Amino acid sequence: MSIKVVKFGGSSLADAKQFEKVASIVKADPQRRYVVASAPGKRSSDDIKVTDMLYDCYKLVAKKQSIDEAFSKIEDRYNQIIRELGLDFSLDEEFQRIKMSIVHHAGRDYVASRGEYLNSMILAEYLGYDFIDAETGIFFDEAGKFDSANTYETLAKILEEHEHAVIPGFYGVMPNGTIKTFSRGGSDITGSIVARATDADIYENWTDVSGMLMADPRCVENPKVIETITYKELRELSYMGATVMHEDAIFPVREACIPINIRNTNSPEDNGTMIVPSTKEIKRVITGIAGKMGFSTISIEKDTMGSELGFGRKVLEILEKHGVSFEHVPSGVDTMSVIVSTDSIDKIRDEITAGIFKLVNADSVVIEDGLALIAVVGRGMVKAKGTAARVFSSIYNAGINIKMIDQGSSELNIIIGVDECDYQATLNAIYNEFDK
Ligand code: ASP
């Protein structure tokens, strides 16, 4: 039978009502055999995630303060879920053990990981699935890097023995036995790892939105949901700030060509977004638009630059020496610009300017802040004519000046630089042009 790995995020498992929705989703499809769970998230906008409550406990211990009150609030969250689900089940012994470990200076990652550990125990009990601790099958190496080979082999063997199981997200174990977490939001990565280890047909990532949107809803009114997006397009959009899940979650499944389906626990009838290795299906020229503010342009001028071998390399060498990575390098005959994030050069502007002056004997080096970059991404643009014309006309018609243009050689994206004050208007102009 084919396997679906399903991961539920914190808001999908925040209280008993959400647990009920999760159970009906899981039980609606017998292929949904392996479930990855997050810790209870926010029940309302002013609520606190259990993971944050656990980090607070860790901080209290470091400050030599009591965790009694903070920890009992965590116990209450879980006990309320257990009670409202009507389960004949107690986590009291676990609470005691975990509290003891925290008080006795357990590591920060161990403390944070208990959110998913406890929530998964409840979910396993509620679904009647086996509970499998992530520390038995998800490994990190000595350097703290995810140990994929060891993990896939061991986890596959463990899961083979279980028809149905719940696995806590977010953490694994180091070679010395200590618990280590992924970065925040890391249960998405666990879901992807489990999908890979079980060679699943699909990785369903259940969250609280009905998929990835074509543009940021804080900037564009009511953007449409992306029905299908390729891994490559997703990388381009996430790099520019569009998020729908943890960025690293695509790697384990991408290697095995397993598609991801982003779904909404609160609206399970919606199809959500399919993230696929590749597809011939093109319904729209543009798949999505994303952007970021906070970029600076370093403009370098030198009369003989055009004929000077190694000029660009020397400029980039200075940036490399200061640990600054560059975004784009648009250039003219005797001019070269390097676009970098303002944060990355903020404290070392003078050193960079002086370094470039000295190494390449420039006529002038000027740094200008306040640039926004917008990426227009779409597999529908590849080898198609007229997309760039439509993008630029829409910006021109909105009365906006374009400061930089870059088209990736894959033709999958067009990057446009505009003044930060024109950022939102540019996003809207492009979105409206293609939302026809
Ligand atoms: N609970 C962890 C967090 O809040 C991990 C996750 O939910 O994915 O970041």
Side-chain angles (χ1 to χ4, degrees), residues 214 233 282-288 376-382 384-388 390 412 434:
M214 279 183 70
E233 290 173 305
I282 296 172
K283 282 201 187 148
R284 294 175 168 277
V285 188
I286 297 299
T287 304
V376 184
V377 177
R379 59 188 182 280
M381 302 198 295
V382 181
K385 290 179 197 138
T387 315
R390 283 175 72 188
L412 196 67
F434 289 95

Side-chain angles (χ1 to χ4, degrees), residues 123-140:
L123 186 60
E125 177 73 20
Y126 186 49
L127 293 173
Y129 280 22
D130 300 332
F131 168 79
I132 294 176
D133 193 344
E135 73 169 288
T136 59
I138 296 192
F139 305 112
F140 293 90

Side-chain angles (χ1 to χ4, degrees), residues 34 137 150-162 196-199:
Y34 300 115
N150 199 1
T151 297
Y152 298 143
E153 202 192 319
T154 312
L155 199 56
K157 279 195 195 127
I158 295 175
L159 292 173
E160 252 173 41
E161 305 292 313
H162 299 266
R196 171 71 190 272
T198 54
D199 199 14

Side-chain angles (χ1 to χ4, degrees), residues 6-7 14 25 28 30 64 74-75 110 118 129 138 141 167 171 173 205 209 214 233 269 292 338 398 425 427:
V6 286
K7 178 261 168 181
I25 291 167
K64 298 195 168 47
I74 295 173
E75 291 180 8
Y110 166 83
L118 293 168
Y129 280 22
I138 296 192
D141 65 17
I167 304 110
Y171 70 94
V173 71
N205 187 303
V209 289
M214 279 183 70
E233 290 173 305
E269 60 288 352
K292 270 195 213 166
V338 187
L427 281 179

Side-chain angles (χ1 to χ4, degrees), residues 7-11 37-41 49-52 54-55 112-113 115-116 169-171 181-190 246:
K7 178 261 168 181
F8 291 92
S11 58
S38 277
K49 293 179 179 183
V50 166
T51 308
D52 289 313
L54 286 160
Y55 280 127
S113 72
E116 348 299 282
F170 194 33
Y171 70 94
T181 61
F182 294 105
S183 55
R184 292 301 302 264
S187 299
D188 286 336
I189 306 175
T190 310
H246 195 297

